[in-house]
Amino acid sequence: MDLKAIILSIHPLQEDDYNQFAAIIQPRIVAKNTRLIEAGKVDHRFYFIQEGITRVYYETAERTINLVFPGPGETILSLNSYSLQSAGYEYIETLTECLLFEVDAIALKKLYQTNLDLANWGRKLAEIEFIKAEKRLMNHLFKSAQERYTELLLKYPALIQNIKLGHIASYLGVSQVTLSRIRAVKS
Amino acid sequence: MDLKAIILSIHPLQEDDYNQFAAIIQPRIVAKNTRLIEAGKVDHRFYFIQEGITRVYYETAERTINLVFPGPGETILSLNSYSLQSAGYEYIETLTECLLFEVDAIALKKLYQTNLDLANWGRKLAEIEFIKAEKRLMNHLFKSAQERYTELLLKYPALIQNIKLGHIASYLGVSQVTLSRIRAVKS
DNA sequence: TTATTTTTTTAACATATGTAAAAAATATTC
DNA sequence: GAATATTTTTTACATATGTTAAAAAAATAA
């Protein structure tokens, strides 16, 4: 999935509009375990993932919680930074080496002010991300850790090879001990 | 908080743009316990609340979960309906008599296609709602039922007078028995 | 006021999950 | 390949929360 396909999958754009957009985007190769977004800081960039797996997580004094593991074709952005230019809540880091497209959010916002199609693209992006957030919330509310584990394996069979079980336990919202118990039953 | 204040609080608009928007909005008085949005259905309306309290909830075979209790100044919309024109997940109903402003989402989408300021308003709306959804999720992930109960009382002291404890327990994600135990300790 | 219904609290018990610590398995380094 | 470090599983125990049912309290109706 190349840059154009990712962008147009969110909302169709005219050739000219796409080119304006592409002009403020840079490809980047990022090593494993690199932090892309830092909680408590304002960041003027966001990313599209071409290749690789990342994790979005929150951190408190007591514990850290993995929220989601975005992969190819998905968008990485801290909405607080992006929309409000205020400090974000989440950390985002790579779990594998990643090929990313880095978007200059400030330049994009300028485009929103003059370009109708891009303004609607931006609207669509926020709506899609909202729907994803809603789905995540519903997953948490309705599904047991067991179900969510099974679904995770189905969606990212590679994930379990690459990352520590503690990460997955944190995503499921249970202790690692409980995750081990879940896995013991399954086999 | 009148209609104009609510709309402009999301994103500033020129007088002319605001008037175009206001033309597709109708005030409505809605009785207590009226269902506004139905899960599984596509709805082409959404609402701003001038007065009153509502609840947004999900329902499964096993149980129902209250997600949030929007009140004055807040927006009621099912993102799936609004953005994707697909069936929504949530039910929304009034808990008290409400004064609402009903927006014709189809007409609004047409405006988005031609009016740059409104397109940016729509972008801002989605971004704000996203941030709210993220906060709700974080509340669920980080805070205990106890804390969330205390905060709820602080934010909506009236709520507890008006609605059944079962609703609040469902919002907190605990059984009503547990909520009773929480309340017993507090006093 | 009394009676009836609804809502909330309490009690008793079962169970799932967390914590802490040790054992086992796996991966890494020299 | 042996030694070390890391990760995962298992065990033992404590505790919080759910379920079911009964009691108490509050609200509504007669």
Side-chain angles (χ1 to χ4, degrees), chain A residues 148-160:
Chain A
R148 296 179 65 229
Y149 176 68
T150 315
E151 283 169 19
L152 190 72
L153 288 195
L154 222 82
K155 190 170 174 201
Y156 298 114
L159 206 69
I160 194 127

Side-chain angles (χ1 to χ4, degrees), chain A residues 13 26 30 32 48 55-56 74 114 128 130-131 143 145 160 163 172-173:
Chain A
L13 290 175
Q26 297 296 329
V30 177
K32 187 172 168 173
F48 301 116
R55 80 176 168 117
V56 178
E74 297 193 85
T114 56
I128 288 169
F130 182 118
I131 288 169
K143 292 182 185 157
I160 194 127
I163 76 173
L172 298 175

Side-chain angles (χ1 to χ4, degrees), chain A:
Chain A
M1 216 177 181
D2 68 349
L3 178 60
K4 193 167 190 176
I6 293 173
I7 288 178
L8 298 189
S9 75
I10 291 166
H11 190 68
L13 290 175
Q14 305 282 355
E15 194 64 22
D16 182 50
D17 298 321
Y18 169 74
N19 289 333
Q20 280 186 56
F21 195 175
I24 59 168
I25 299 177
Q26 297 296 329
R28 271 188 64 187
I29 297 173
V30 177
K32 187 172 168 173
N33 297 327
T34 306
R35 193 169 278 172
L36 295 169
I37 303 268
E38 191 107 3
K41 290 190 179 165
V42 181
D43 199 303
H44 301 298
R45 293 157 295 183
F46 68 92
Y47 303 88
F48 301 116
I49 304 172
Q50 177 160 48
E51 207 50 59
I53 296 176
T54 61
R55 80 176 168 117
V56 178
Y57 63 104
Y58 299 136
E59 196 136 79
T60 59
E62 300 92 43
R63 61 208 164 113
T64 106
I65 295 181
N66 290 315
L67 182 62
V68 55
F69 302 106
E74 297 193 85
T75 307
I76 295 178
L77 85 171
S78 164
L79 240 282
N80 259 65
S81 263
Y82 165 76
S83 176
L84 304 179
Q85 273 119 274
S86 65
Y89 305 122
E90 59 268 276
Y91 294 91
I92 305 180
E93 68 177 37
T94 56
L95 288 175
T96 64
E97 183 179 84
C98 286
L99 285 91
L100 303 176
F101 296 108
E102 181 178 304
V103 184
D104 177 344
I106 302 219
L108 180 58
K109 281 203 162 174
K110 285 209 186 102
L111 291 178
Y112 287 159
Q113 300 314 314
T114 56
N115 186 314
L116 181 66
D117 281 350
L118 281 176
N120 277 300
W121 182 93
R123 178 173 60 81
K124 230 32 211 325
L125 174 68
E127 291 173 9
I128 288 169
E129 293 298 315
F130 182 118
I131 288 169
K132 281 191 201 161
E134 197 177 38
K135 279 221 179 96
R136 282 200 289 275
L137 179 60
M138 290 187 58
N139 261 334
H140 264 278
L141 295 179
F142 283 118
K143 292 182 185 157
S144 67
Q146 282 235 29
E147 289 176 279
R148 296 179 65 229
Y149 176 68
T150 315
E151 283 169 19
L152 190 72
L153 288 195
L154 222 82
K155 190 170 174 201
Y156 298 114
L159 206 69
I160 194 127
Q161 329 285 12
N162 292 321
I163 76 173
K164 290 189 280 182
L165 275 195
H167 279 159
I168 295 176
S170 152
Y171 166 81
L172 298 175
V174 296
S175 70
Q176 198 184 130
V177 174
T178 301
L179 177 55
S180 261
R181 290 196 265 239
I182 289 172
R183 285 154 58 89
V185 171
K186 294 268 319 177
S187 63

Side-chain angles (χ1 to χ4, degrees), chain B residues 103-114:
Chain B
V103 184
D104 178 344
I106 303 218
L108 180 58
K109 281 204 162 175
K110 285 208 187 103
L111 292 178
Y112 287 159
Q113 300 315 312
T114 56

